[in-house]
């Protein structure tokens, strides 16, 4: 069995009276892509924020690469990269300037940051637009830059929070290929999405969250088998069966 | 610490890219300076227009008008009686000098003649100064007449023609005026407490305050955009992030003061080199205090609109209470209330240096207060600032 790179035990987080995360536990093996699915308001983003040290958990343990998030957050931040759900870019700067800036923030010097920035831009197919202002990029290009920034510093664990929202199929496919390429290089990835086919295509294991809790966790194949023939049942069928068809805010 | 400096540099870069902020921060002070220069530039002496109604038209009235026109800073405008009365009626004019008919004839005959000041109320400040100058010119003419009469009286019976006596007396008087018995020497000991040096400190501090409290908007924007949150997932600590933002705000405010003070130094010549450096030091400490308060606003505000409203109200209150547009009298209620405004201390310190010729040592008290506000403001804002609700 592969080494567990991320271990989450009984995580809790409340905002005033509202329990956003209510006893979440899971683990991710090194080099795996782990899917975290759930309807709006399930607690996915809050969970990722706690794992990426932005929010402090009320209780529970998180260990990443052998480092405790609660006691050794600085060591954790050295080995993670985060691609947030919302585009977190400086639109008045160029793509290269954005990446060099965040590269410096993860500890690279100027030359290293520039070199890595160009490598990641090539990976995303944006090397020709390095000096272009981000404000002039299309939505798909901005998503790719958003992802490229998360790769600065060569993180060992990558958090991808709905990285393909609102982009065209070509850009989405390009991102899928990049993610699979990163996994082949040994990167561990936590991937959240609303697009079920993404989870099916990319993730070795999938956890479905609802109401702040994980209601099921298994491989896509086994999850589909629970409700029918895996060749005919889709992950969307699994998702709707487990979380219901009622609308969420 | 290095990462905090990169945060600062990134902020400055973003500021230079934001055309709106750049226009407000850099161009507007330059435009304001240009307006000030247009209004007050180079006019350190009194300048006014003397409106004269010359109903006489004779030699002596013409001579009087010429003498008045020769006074530095005075322009003469001749109007008819009807025109002058109409302007006085409308209060377009507060004082007109009337030379009545028969003025020259009376003087030529050796009789007394009178000038009339037609005025509304006391003629206003400018009118009173003009009247004083007119009296001085009339006084000089009186002297001429007295000297001429005395010389003529002394030389009566000698057969010397009267017009020769007049010419000689005139030459003598001109020589005397060129080398008076009692001379006046101007010795400039420092900046003058004129209007521009009273007004400039308030303009400088007002712009700094506006710019820095509005920088709270950019922090709230960043929080909303998610870049603040992203930064916290890197090796950047919350303290480094905070300090970087603070340094960026101070830099922005200081650059503005550098532009305004630099232009004032070059054009208005209000400063000595030492007083210029002292002014920059005062502005740097003031910019730091204002930046700290801007961070408190960023910590409190939950939206960009909210941050702008809080910043604008805060700035206007500080500006009004701080004696920006008028000097506050010692011991007045406004002086007491003004002690709650950081602008008060900055304006007082700058006026001490610019208008009163003081040094940094004379502003220690104000600088200590401003530095204290900076430290306390930073501490408070750091305690309450959160990137996310429930976060760091």
């Amino acid at each position: 069995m592969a080494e567990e790179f991320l271990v989450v035990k009984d995580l809790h987080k409340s905002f005033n009276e509202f329990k956003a995360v209510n006893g979440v536990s899971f683990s991710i093996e090194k080099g795996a892509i782990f899917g975290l699915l759930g309807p709006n308001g399930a607690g996915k983003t809050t969970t990722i924020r706690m794992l990426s040290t932005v929010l402090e958990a009320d209780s529970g343990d998180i260990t990443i690469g052998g480092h405790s998030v609660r006691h050794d957050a600085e060591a954790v931040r050295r080995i993670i990269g985060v691609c947030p759900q919302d585009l977190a870019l400086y639109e008045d700067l160029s793509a290269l300037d954005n990446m060099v800036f965040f590269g410096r923030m993860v500890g690279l010097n100027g030359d290293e940051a520039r070199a890595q920035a160009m490598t990641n831009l090539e990976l995303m197919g944006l090397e020709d637009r390095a000096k272009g202002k981000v404000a002039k990029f299309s939505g798909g290009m901005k998503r790719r830059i958003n992802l490229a920034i998360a790769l600065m510093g060569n993180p060992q664990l990558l958090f991808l929070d709905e990285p393909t929202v609102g982009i065209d199929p070509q850009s989405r496919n390009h991102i899928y290929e990049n993610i699979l390429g990163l996994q082949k290089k040994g990167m561990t990835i936590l991937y959240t999405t609303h697009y079920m086919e993404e989870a099916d295509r990319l993730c070795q294991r999938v956890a479905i969250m609802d109401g702040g809790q994980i209601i099921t966790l298994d491989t896509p194949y086994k999850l589909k088998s629970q409700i029918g023939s895996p060749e005919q049942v889709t992950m969307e069928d699994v998702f709707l069966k487990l979380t219901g068809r009622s609308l969420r805010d | 610490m290095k990462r905090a400096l990169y945060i600062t540099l990134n902020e400055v870069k973003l500021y230079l890219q934001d055309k709106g902020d750049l226009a407000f921060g850099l161009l507007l002070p330059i435009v304001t300076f240009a307006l000030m220069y247009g209004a007050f530039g180079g006019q350190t002496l009194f300048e006014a227009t003397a409106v004269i109604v010359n109903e006489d038209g004779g030699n002596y009235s013409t001579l009087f008008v010429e003498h008045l026109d020769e006074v530095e800073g005075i322009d003469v405008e001749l109007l008819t009686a009807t025109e002058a009365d109409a302007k006085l009626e409308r209060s377009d004019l507060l004082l007109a000098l009337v030379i009545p008919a028969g003025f020259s004839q009376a003087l030529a005959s050796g009789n007394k003649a009178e000038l009339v000041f037609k005025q509304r109320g006391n003629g206003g400040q400018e009118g009173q100064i003009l009247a004083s100058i007119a009296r001085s010119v009339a006084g000089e003419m009186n002297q001429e007449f007295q000297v001429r009469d005395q010389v003529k009286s002394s030389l009566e019976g000698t057969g010397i023609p009267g017009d020769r006596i007049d010419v000689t007396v005139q030459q003598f008087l001109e020589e005397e005026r060129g080398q008076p018995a009692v001379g006046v020497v101007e010795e400039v000991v420092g900046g003058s407490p004129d209007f521009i040096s009273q007004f400039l400190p308030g303009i400088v501090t007002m712009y700094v305050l506006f710019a820095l409290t509005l920088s709270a908007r950019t922090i709230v924007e960043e929080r909303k955009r998610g870049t603040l949150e992203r930064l916290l997932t890197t090796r950047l600590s919350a303290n480094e992030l905070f300090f970087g933002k603070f340094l960026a705000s101070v830099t922005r405010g200081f650059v503005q003061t550098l532009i305004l003070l630099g232009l004032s130094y070059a054009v208005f010549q209000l400063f000595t080199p030492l007083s210029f450096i002292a002014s920059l030091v005062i502005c740097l400490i003031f910019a730091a205090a204002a930046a700290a308060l801007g961070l408190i606003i960023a910590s409190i505000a939950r939206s960009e609109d909210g941050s702008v409203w809080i910043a604008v109200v805060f700035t206007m209150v500080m500006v009004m209470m701080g004696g920006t547009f008028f000097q506050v009298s010692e011991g007045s209620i406004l002086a007491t209330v003004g002690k709650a405004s950081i602008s008060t201390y900055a304006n007082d310190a700058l006026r001490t240096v610019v208008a009163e010729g003081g040094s940094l040592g004379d502003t220690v008290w104000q600088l200590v207060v401003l530095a204290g506000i900076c430290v306390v403001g930073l501490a408070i804002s750091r305690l309450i600032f959160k990137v996310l609700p429930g976060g760091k």
Side-chain angles (χ1 to χ4, degrees), chain B residues 239-260:
Chain B
N239 285 335
E240 283 174 322
L241 170 64
F242 203 74
F243 191 61
K245 295 289 182 190
F246 167 70
L247 277 184
S249 290
V250 176
T251 305
R252 279 171 68 158
F254 185 63
V255 164
Q256 278 196 296
T257 61
L258 196 57
I259 291 171
L260 272 170

Side-chain angles (χ1 to χ4, degrees), chain A residues 62-79:
Chain A
I62 306 168
T63 310
I64 298 178
H67 302 289
S68 163
V69 164
R70 192 182 290 278
H71 302 296
D72 201 3
E74 209 174 304
V76 167
R77 283 196 288 270
R78 284 199 198 108
I79 59 174

